[in-house]
Each structure stands twice: as C-alpha cells, then as structure tokens.
Amino acid sequence: NSISVGASGALFGLLGAMLSELLTNWTIYSNKVMALFTLLIIIVVNLAIGILPHVDNFAHIGGFVVGFLLGFILLPRPQYGWLEQRRLPTGIRLKSKYKAYQYVLGIVSLILLIIG
C-alpha cells in the first residue's frame, strides 16, 4: 500500500549484469575466484541491508534478476582478432564470434525476459 522510489533496483540490475558478465567471460579473468567472491559479498551485504524497515527488497531482487538476464543478452564475450578473420582468403571457414553456451544463455534469457 505504499510507493517505493529509488535507484537501488537499478543498482542491483548493474550487480546482476556484472555477475552474468563474469560468468560469460570466466576464462578472461586472471583471479576468477576472488572476483566472484567479491561480487557475491557485495550482493549479499546489500540484500542484507534490504531487511531494514522501509526498504523494498523486492525491487532489489527484481532489478538483480532482470540485470542478470539482460547481461547475457547485452554483454557478449569479446572476441579479440575476430575482425582479422574476415580478411582471410576465400575457402577458409570462419569461426563463429560467439561460443555455443553464449547462444544458449542469450536465448534462454530472452525467453525468460519475454515471459516475465
């Protein structure tokens, strides 16, 4: 019965997008476990703050889920050297810019966002 106003849902969306980007580009990171641990600690602490009165934790969770799903769609894995492959002689097959799991995550995320 009350109105919730603030940017915290959007900030949680950015945290969700950061987590999906970390999972998508897992092989690029040099210190994988520490990056994941740090991000998870930030998310848990902020969700714990949402337990306080007059804080809308549903906006935080909704922002996180939507940011997580949109991260798989809008933050593809960078492919260094993919543009140079376009200058190859004819007859040589080009590799796809994206990995198979990126297609799967993108399609599943898009379907979930449309359903939601």
mmCIF file of all heavy atoms in Angstrom, residues 65-98:
data_model
loop_
_atom_site.group_PDB
_atom_site.id
_atom_site.type_symbol
_atom_site.label_atom_id
_atom_site.label_comp_id
_atom_site.label_asym_id
_atom_site.label_seq_id
_atom_site.Cartn_x
_atom_site.Cartn_y
_atom_site.Cartn_z
ATOM 1 N N VAL A 65 17.592 -9.797 -10.905
ATOM 2 C CA VAL A 65 17.227 -10.864 -11.851
ATOM 3 C C VAL A 65 17.188 -10.327 -13.280
ATOM 4 O O VAL A 65 17.742 -10.944 -14.209
ATOM 5 C CB VAL A 65 15.878 -11.502 -11.455
ATOM 6 C CG1 VAL A 65 15.337 -12.399 -12.552
ATOM 7 C CG2 VAL A 65 16.023 -12.268 -10.156
ATOM 8 N N VAL A 66 16.566 -9.162 -13.474
ATOM 9 C CA VAL A 66 16.488 -8.592 -14.824
ATOM 10 C C VAL A 66 17.870 -8.195 -15.323
ATOM 11 O O VAL A 66 18.223 -8.442 -16.477
ATOM 12 C CB VAL A 66 15.503 -7.405 -14.857
ATOM 13 C CG1 VAL A 66 15.575 -6.664 -16.173
ATOM 14 C CG2 VAL A 66 14.091 -7.898 -14.615
ATOM 15 N N GLY A 67 18.694 -7.605 -14.469
ATOM 16 C CA GLY A 67 20.059 -7.259 -14.865
ATOM 17 C C GLY A 67 20.885 -8.486 -15.195
ATOM 18 O O GLY A 67 21.674 -8.487 -16.148
ATOM 19 N N PHE A 68 20.695 -9.562 -14.415
ATOM 20 C CA PHE A 68 21.408 -10.814 -14.666
ATOM 21 C C PHE A 68 21.038 -11.385 -16.030
ATOM 22 O O PHE A 68 21.902 -11.772 -16.805
ATOM 23 C CB PHE A 68 21.078 -11.800 -13.546
ATOM 24 C CG PHE A 68 21.820 -13.102 -13.626
ATOM 25 C CD1 PHE A 68 23.161 -13.173 -13.321
ATOM 26 C CD2 PHE A 68 21.158 -14.262 -13.993
ATOM 27 C CE1 PHE A 68 23.848 -14.371 -13.380
ATOM 28 C CE2 PHE A 68 21.823 -15.473 -14.055
ATOM 29 C CZ PHE A 68 23.172 -15.531 -13.752
ATOM 30 N N LEU A 69 19.757 -11.405 -16.353
ATOM 31 C CA LEU A 69 19.307 -11.946 -17.639
ATOM 32 C C LEU A 69 19.713 -11.050 -18.802
ATOM 33 O O LEU A 69 20.157 -11.535 -19.848
ATOM 34 C CB LEU A 69 17.796 -12.160 -17.615
ATOM 35 C CG LEU A 69 17.296 -13.227 -16.637
ATOM 36 C CD1 LEU A 69 15.777 -13.258 -16.630
ATOM 37 C CD2 LEU A 69 17.876 -14.586 -16.958
ATOM 38 N N LEU A 70 19.572 -9.741 -18.632
ATOM 39 C CA LEU A 70 19.960 -8.828 -19.702
ATOM 40 C C LEU A 70 21.470 -8.830 -19.931
ATOM 41 O O LEU A 70 21.931 -8.571 -21.042
ATOM 42 C CB LEU A 70 19.493 -7.405 -19.395
ATOM 43 C CG LEU A 70 18.028 -7.110 -19.669
ATOM 44 C CD1 LEU A 70 17.676 -5.706 -19.212
ATOM 45 C CD2 LEU A 70 17.711 -7.281 -21.142
ATOM 46 N N GLY A 71 22.219 -9.134 -18.896
ATOM 47 C CA GLY A 71 23.668 -9.210 -19.052
ATOM 48 C C GLY A 71 24.084 -10.280 -20.040
ATOM 49 O O GLY A 71 25.041 -10.103 -20.797
ATOM 50 N N PHE A 72 23.383 -11.404 -20.055
ATOM 51 C CA PHE A 72 23.708 -12.455 -21.020
ATOM 52 C C PHE A 72 23.370 -12.039 -22.448
ATOM 53 O O PHE A 72 23.987 -12.506 -23.398
ATOM 54 C CB PHE A 72 22.966 -13.750 -20.682
ATOM 55 C CG PHE A 72 23.499 -14.447 -19.470
ATOM 56 C CD1 PHE A 72 22.690 -14.651 -18.374
ATOM 57 C CD2 PHE A 72 24.800 -14.888 -19.420
ATOM 58 C CE1 PHE A 72 23.162 -15.303 -17.252
ATOM 59 C CE2 PHE A 72 25.299 -15.531 -18.301
ATOM 60 C CZ PHE A 72 24.474 -15.739 -17.214
ATOM 61 N N ILE A 73 22.386 -11.157 -22.596
ATOM 62 C CA ILE A 73 21.975 -10.730 -23.929
ATOM 63 C C ILE A 73 22.820 -9.554 -24.418
ATOM 64 O O ILE A 73 23.275 -9.528 -25.556
ATOM 65 C CB ILE A 73 20.477 -10.338 -23.927
ATOM 66 C CG1 ILE A 73 19.637 -11.568 -23.579
ATOM 67 C CG2 ILE A 73 20.057 -9.765 -25.267
ATOM 68 C CD1 ILE A 73 18.188 -11.255 -23.319
ATOM 69 N N LEU A 74 23.051 -8.577 -23.563
ATOM 70 C CA LEU A 74 23.687 -7.332 -23.987
ATOM 71 C C LEU A 74 25.194 -7.280 -23.781
ATOM 72 O O LEU A 74 25.846 -6.385 -24.308
ATOM 73 C CB LEU A 74 23.043 -6.153 -23.247
ATOM 74 C CG LEU A 74 21.546 -5.969 -23.473
ATOM 75 C CD1 LEU A 74 21.019 -4.829 -22.624
ATOM 76 C CD2 LEU A 74 21.256 -5.728 -24.946
ATOM 77 N N LEU A 75 25.762 -8.204 -23.016
ATOM 78 C CA LEU A 75 27.199 -8.185 -22.753
ATOM 79 C C LEU A 75 27.857 -9.448 -23.300
ATOM 80 O O LEU A 75 28.260 -10.334 -22.550
ATOM 81 C CB LEU A 75 27.466 -8.070 -21.242
ATOM 82 C CG LEU A 75 26.910 -6.840 -20.558
ATOM 83 C CD1 LEU A 75 27.087 -6.947 -19.051
ATOM 84 C CD2 LEU A 75 27.587 -5.594 -21.079
ATOM 85 N N PRO A 76 28.007 -9.552 -24.619
ATOM 86 C CA PRO A 76 28.604 -10.765 -25.185
ATOM 87 C C PRO A 76 30.110 -10.819 -24.903
ATOM 88 O O PRO A 76 30.734 -9.816 -24.603
ATOM 89 C CB PRO A 76 28.322 -10.634 -26.677
ATOM 90 C CG PRO A 76 28.249 -9.168 -26.913
ATOM 91 C CD PRO A 76 27.651 -8.593 -25.660
ATOM 92 N N ARG A 77 30.645 -11.989 -25.024
ATOM 93 C CA ARG A 77 32.070 -12.181 -24.802
ATOM 94 C C ARG A 77 32.864 -11.522 -25.916
ATOM 95 O O ARG A 77 32.595 -11.738 -27.098
ATOM 96 C CB ARG A 77 32.370 -13.674 -24.769
ATOM 97 C CG ARG A 77 33.808 -13.980 -24.564
ATOM 98 C CD ARG A 77 34.035 -15.470 -24.660
ATOM 99 N NE ARG A 77 35.455 -15.706 -24.540
ATOM 100 C CZ ARG A 77 35.970 -16.650 -23.788
ATOM 101 N NH1 ARG A 77 35.183 -17.440 -23.127
ATOM 102 N NH2 ARG A 77 37.253 -16.809 -23.723
ATOM 103 N N PRO A 78 33.864 -10.713 -25.580
ATOM 104 C CA PRO A 78 34.672 -10.083 -26.631
ATOM 105 C C PRO A 78 35.534 -11.124 -27.334
ATOM 106 O O PRO A 78 36.057 -12.040 -26.703
ATOM 107 C CB PRO A 78 35.534 -9.079 -25.864
ATOM 108 C CG PRO A 78 35.571 -9.584 -24.470
ATOM 109 C CD PRO A 78 34.286 -10.323 -24.244
ATOM 110 N N GLN A 79 35.658 -10.998 -28.624
ATOM 111 C CA GLN A 79 36.465 -11.914 -29.418
ATOM 112 C C GLN A 79 37.588 -11.123 -30.070
ATOM 113 O O GLN A 79 37.411 -10.520 -31.125
ATOM 114 C CB GLN A 79 35.608 -12.606 -30.481
ATOM 115 C CG GLN A 79 34.512 -13.467 -29.926
ATOM 116 C CD GLN A 79 35.072 -14.651 -29.174
ATOM 117 O OE1 GLN A 79 36.007 -15.295 -29.620
ATOM 118 N NE2 GLN A 79 34.504 -14.931 -28.021
ATOM 119 N N TYR A 80 38.730 -11.114 -29.430
ATOM 120 C CA TYR A 80 39.875 -10.403 -29.972
ATOM 121 C C TYR A 80 40.366 -11.126 -31.216
ATOM 122 O O TYR A 80 40.556 -12.326 -31.216
ATOM 123 C CB TYR A 80 40.984 -10.323 -28.929
ATOM 124 C CG TYR A 80 40.515 -9.785 -27.614
ATOM 125 C CD1 TYR A 80 40.410 -10.593 -26.502
ATOM 126 C CD2 TYR A 80 40.133 -8.457 -27.501
ATOM 127 C CE1 TYR A 80 39.962 -10.095 -25.295
ATOM 128 C CE2 TYR A 80 39.676 -7.953 -26.307
ATOM 129 C CZ TYR A 80 39.596 -8.775 -25.205
ATOM 130 O OH TYR A 80 39.141 -8.277 -24.019
ATOM 131 N N GLY A 81 40.541 -10.404 -32.275
ATOM 132 C CA GLY A 81 41.016 -10.987 -33.510
ATOM 133 C C GLY A 81 39.918 -11.472 -34.431
ATOM 134 O O GLY A 81 40.209 -11.978 -35.512
ATOM 135 N N TRP A 82 38.660 -11.338 -34.054
ATOM 136 C CA TRP A 82 37.583 -11.813 -34.905
ATOM 137 C C TRP A 82 37.501 -10.990 -36.184
ATOM 138 O O TRP A 82 37.234 -11.532 -37.253
ATOM 139 C CB TRP A 82 36.255 -11.758 -34.155
ATOM 140 C CG TRP A 82 35.124 -12.342 -34.939
ATOM 141 C CD1 TRP A 82 34.875 -13.655 -35.153
ATOM 142 C CD2 TRP A 82 34.103 -11.630 -35.630
ATOM 143 N NE1 TRP A 82 33.756 -13.818 -35.920
ATOM 144 C CE2 TRP A 82 33.261 -12.575 -36.241
ATOM 145 C CE3 TRP A 82 33.813 -10.279 -35.803
ATOM 146 C CZ2 TRP A 82 32.172 -12.223 -36.992
ATOM 147 C CZ3 TRP A 82 32.714 -9.925 -36.558
ATOM 148 C CH2 TRP A 82 31.912 -10.895 -37.145
ATOM 149 N N LEU A 83 37.752 -9.685 -36.090
ATOM 150 C CA LEU A 83 37.689 -8.848 -37.287
ATOM 151 C C LEU A 83 38.791 -9.201 -38.278
ATOM 152 O O LEU A 83 38.593 -9.104 -39.485
ATOM 153 C CB LEU A 83 37.780 -7.367 -36.899
ATOM 154 C CG LEU A 83 36.579 -6.822 -36.141
ATOM 155 C CD1 LEU A 83 36.837 -5.379 -35.718
ATOM 156 C CD2 LEU A 83 35.340 -6.883 -36.995
ATOM 157 N N GLU A 84 39.948 -9.620 -37.784
ATOM 158 C CA GLU A 84 41.031 -10.001 -38.682
ATOM 159 C C GLU A 84 40.684 -11.268 -39.459
ATOM 160 O O GLU A 84 41.197 -11.490 -40.540
ATOM 161 C CB GLU A 84 42.328 -10.217 -37.899
ATOM 162 C CG GLU A 84 42.985 -8.935 -37.437
ATOM 163 C CD GLU A 84 42.335 -8.347 -36.195
ATOM 164 O OE1 GLU A 84 41.618 -9.078 -35.473
ATOM 165 O OE2 GLU A 84 42.504 -7.144 -35.961
ATOM 166 N N GLN A 85 39.818 -12.114 -38.917
ATOM 167 C CA GLN A 85 39.417 -13.334 -39.606
ATOM 168 C C GLN A 85 38.614 -13.035 -40.856
ATOM 169 O O GLN A 85 38.554 -13.853 -41.757
ATOM 170 C CB GLN A 85 38.587 -14.229 -38.688
ATOM 171 C CG GLN A 85 39.370 -14.865 -37.587
ATOM 172 C CD GLN A 85 38.488 -15.779 -36.744
ATOM 173 O OE1 GLN A 85 37.287 -15.884 -36.967
ATOM 174 N NE2 GLN A 85 39.083 -16.420 -35.772
ATOM 175 N N ARG A 86 38.014 -11.849 -40.929
ATOM 176 C CA ARG A 86 37.206 -11.513 -42.106
ATOM 177 C C ARG A 86 38.080 -11.296 -43.330
ATOM 178 O O ARG A 86 37.601 -11.342 -44.453
ATOM 179 C CB ARG A 86 36.370 -10.260 -41.832
ATOM 180 C CG ARG A 86 35.359 -10.494 -40.754
ATOM 181 C CD ARG A 86 34.382 -9.391 -40.593
ATOM 182 N NE ARG A 86 34.839 -8.077 -40.978
ATOM 183 C CZ ARG A 86 34.187 -6.958 -40.754
ATOM 184 N NH1 ARG A 86 33.038 -7.011 -40.133
ATOM 185 N NH2 ARG A 86 34.653 -5.805 -41.136
ATOM 186 N N ARG A 87 39.367 -11.053 -43.152
ATOM 187 C CA ARG A 87 40.262 -10.807 -44.279
ATOM 188 C C ARG A 87 40.947 -12.084 -44.777
ATOM 189 O O ARG A 87 41.880 -12.010 -45.563
ATOM 190 C CB ARG A 87 41.320 -9.784 -43.856
ATOM 191 C CG ARG A 87 40.739 -8.445 -43.512
ATOM 192 C CD ARG A 87 41.838 -7.424 -43.293
ATOM 193 N NE ARG A 87 41.267 -6.204 -42.757
ATOM 194 C CZ ARG A 87 41.322 -5.839 -41.484
ATOM 195 N NH1 ARG A 87 41.963 -6.570 -40.607
ATOM 196 N NH2 ARG A 87 40.772 -4.716 -41.084
ATOM 197 N N LEU A 88 40.489 -13.231 -44.315
ATOM 198 C CA LEU A 88 41.078 -14.491 -44.743
ATOM 199 C C LEU A 88 40.708 -14.783 -46.192
ATOM 200 O O LEU A 88 39.683 -14.331 -46.693
ATOM 201 C CB LEU A 88 40.588 -15.627 -43.848
ATOM 202 C CG LEU A 88 41.062 -15.589 -42.398
ATOM 203 C CD1 LEU A 88 40.390 -16.696 -41.596
ATOM 204 C CD2 LEU A 88 42.562 -15.728 -42.316
ATOM 205 N N PRO A 89 41.531 -15.542 -46.885
ATOM 206 C CA PRO A 89 41.200 -15.897 -48.269
ATOM 207 C C PRO A 89 39.915 -16.704 -48.345
ATOM 208 O O PRO A 89 39.504 -17.347 -47.385
ATOM 209 C CB PRO A 89 42.399 -16.744 -48.715
ATOM 210 C CG PRO A 89 43.452 -16.567 -47.694
ATOM 211 C CD PRO A 89 42.809 -16.058 -46.456
ATOM 212 N N THR A 90 39.302 -16.688 -49.509
ATOM 213 C CA THR A 90 38.060 -17.432 -49.691
ATOM 214 C C THR A 90 38.341 -18.924 -49.577
ATOM 215 O O THR A 90 39.426 -19.397 -49.905
ATOM 216 C CB THR A 90 37.431 -17.129 -51.065
ATOM 217 O OG1 THR A 90 38.389 -17.436 -52.082
ATOM 218 C CG2 THR A 90 37.024 -15.685 -51.161
ATOM 219 N N GLY A 91 37.364 -19.645 -49.128
ATOM 220 C CA GLY A 91 37.511 -21.082 -48.967
ATOM 221 C C GLY A 91 37.842 -21.492 -47.544
ATOM 222 O O GLY A 91 37.698 -22.638 -47.185
ATOM 223 N N ILE A 92 38.302 -20.550 -46.744
ATOM 224 C CA ILE A 92 38.600 -20.850 -45.348
ATOM 225 C C ILE A 92 37.388 -20.458 -44.522
ATOM 226 O O ILE A 92 36.898 -19.342 -44.614
ATOM 227 C CB ILE A 92 39.853 -20.089 -44.861
ATOM 228 C CG1 ILE A 92 41.065 -20.558 -45.643
ATOM 229 C CG2 ILE A 92 40.058 -20.311 -43.369
ATOM 230 C CD1 ILE A 92 42.343 -19.835 -45.281
ATOM 231 N N ARG A 93 36.901 -21.416 -43.752
ATOM 232 C CA ARG A 93 35.689 -21.191 -42.967
ATOM 233 C C ARG A 93 35.997 -20.343 -41.733
ATOM 234 O O ARG A 93 36.974 -20.565 -41.033
ATOM 235 C CB ARG A 93 35.086 -22.518 -42.553
ATOM 236 C CG ARG A 93 33.753 -22.368 -41.919
ATOM 237 C CD ARG A 93 33.073 -23.700 -41.802
ATOM 238 N NE ARG A 93 31.768 -23.454 -41.232
ATOM 239 C CZ ARG A 93 31.196 -24.230 -40.348
ATOM 240 N NH1 ARG A 93 31.806 -25.313 -39.944
ATOM 241 N NH2 ARG A 93 30.019 -23.948 -39.876
ATOM 242 N N LEU A 94 35.131 -19.362 -41.468
ATOM 243 C CA LEU A 94 35.296 -18.503 -40.308
ATOM 244 C C LEU A 94 34.703 -19.149 -39.067
ATOM 245 O O LEU A 94 33.688 -19.835 -39.146
ATOM 246 C CB LEU A 94 34.594 -17.154 -40.533
ATOM 247 C CG LEU A 94 35.137 -16.268 -41.636
ATOM 248 C CD1 LEU A 94 34.269 -15.033 -41.769
ATOM 249 C CD2 LEU A 94 36.555 -15.866 -41.340
ATOM 250 N N LYS A 95 35.354 -18.919 -37.945
ATOM 251 C CA LYS A 95 34.783 -19.357 -36.682
ATOM 252 C C LYS A 95 33.690 -18.383 -36.278
ATOM 253 O O LYS A 95 33.721 -17.208 -36.626
ATOM 254 C CB LYS A 95 35.850 -19.364 -35.590
ATOM 255 C CG LYS A 95 36.859 -20.452 -35.708
ATOM 256 C CD LYS A 95 37.803 -20.376 -34.518
ATOM 257 C CE LYS A 95 38.791 -21.493 -34.544
ATOM 258 N NZ LYS A 95 39.712 -21.414 -33.388
ATOM 259 N N SER A 96 32.740 -18.880 -35.526
ATOM 260 C CA SER A 96 31.673 -18.024 -35.026
ATOM 261 C C SER A 96 32.247 -17.055 -34.008
ATOM 262 O O SER A 96 33.183 -17.367 -33.279
ATOM 263 C CB SER A 96 30.579 -18.869 -34.382
ATOM 264 O OG SER A 96 29.618 -18.037 -33.792
ATOM 265 N N LYS A 97 31.659 -15.890 -33.943
ATOM 266 C CA LYS A 97 32.104 -14.876 -32.992
ATOM 267 C C LYS A 97 31.766 -15.281 -31.561
ATOM 268 O O LYS A 97 32.451 -14.907 -30.624
ATOM 269 C CB LYS A 97 31.448 -13.540 -33.326
ATOM 270 C CG LYS A 97 31.896 -12.406 -32.456
ATOM 271 C CD LYS A 97 31.281 -11.096 -32.903
ATOM 272 C CE LYS A 97 31.713 -9.967 -32.000
ATOM 273 N NZ LYS A 97 31.103 -8.706 -32.360
ATOM 274 N N TYR A 98 30.721 -16.072 -31.376
ATOM 275 C CA TYR A 98 30.262 -16.448 -30.047
ATOM 276 C C TYR A 98 30.404 -17.948 -29.835
ATOM 277 O O TYR A 98 30.396 -18.732 -30.773
ATOM 278 C CB TYR A 98 28.796 -16.036 -29.859
ATOM 279 C CG TYR A 98 28.567 -14.574 -30.094
ATOM 280 C CD1 TYR A 98 27.910 -14.136 -31.237
ATOM 281 C CD2 TYR A 98 29.017 -13.632 -29.196
ATOM 282 C CE1 TYR A 98 27.713 -12.787 -31.467
ATOM 283 C CE2 TYR A 98 28.824 -12.282 -29.407
ATOM 284 C CZ TYR A 98 28.171 -11.864 -30.542
ATOM 285 O OH TYR A 98 27.984 -10.532 -30.766
#
